[in-house]
Amino acid sequence: MVMFRPPRPARSPGQFRDMNATQLFCPTCKRAMPVREKVALYLPTGVLYHYVCTQCDAVLGKKEDGDSSRLG
Ligand SMILES: [Zn+2]
């Protein structure tokens, strides 16, 4: 007997997140600094965030939030 399973919706568990960058090296402060997320741009595929230094507001990194399940 063959059992057919119903197709499951392609969803990620949700707790699979990117690196949680709480501290990044700041070349202006010359040390690792705590950063905060700042919305930089709204993309058709999601939102682009900048990680900015809490001390000097320099952009230390960025991440794109949205449909990251597609590659290429
Ligand atoms: Zn800084």
Side-chain angles (χ1 to χ4, degrees):
M1 182 197 272
V2 178
M3 292 180 69
F4 290 97
R5 298 179 181 204
R8 304 175 73 178
R11 293 173 75 188
S12 49
Q15 54 187 168
F16 203 81
R17 305 207 71 185
D18 296 336
M19 293 189 308
N20 215 351
T22 51
Q23 285 205 344
L24 290 173
F25 180 79
C26 178
T28 307
C29 301
K30 293 182 170 38
R31 53 175 289 200
M33 295 297 293
V35 294
R36 59 186 168 85
E37 287 182 18
K38 181 180 173 185
V39 176
L41 197 63
Y42 288 100
L43 304 168
T45 54
V47 183
L48 181 69
Y49 292 93
H50 277 176
Y51 290 122
V52 297
C53 175
T54 55
Q55 186 69 36
C56 68
D57 265 1
V59 177
L60 304 183
K62 60 186 172 182
K63 78 159 183 182
E64 198 178 316
D65 224 2
D67 187 9
S68 55
S69 58
R70 289 173 182 226
L71 293 175

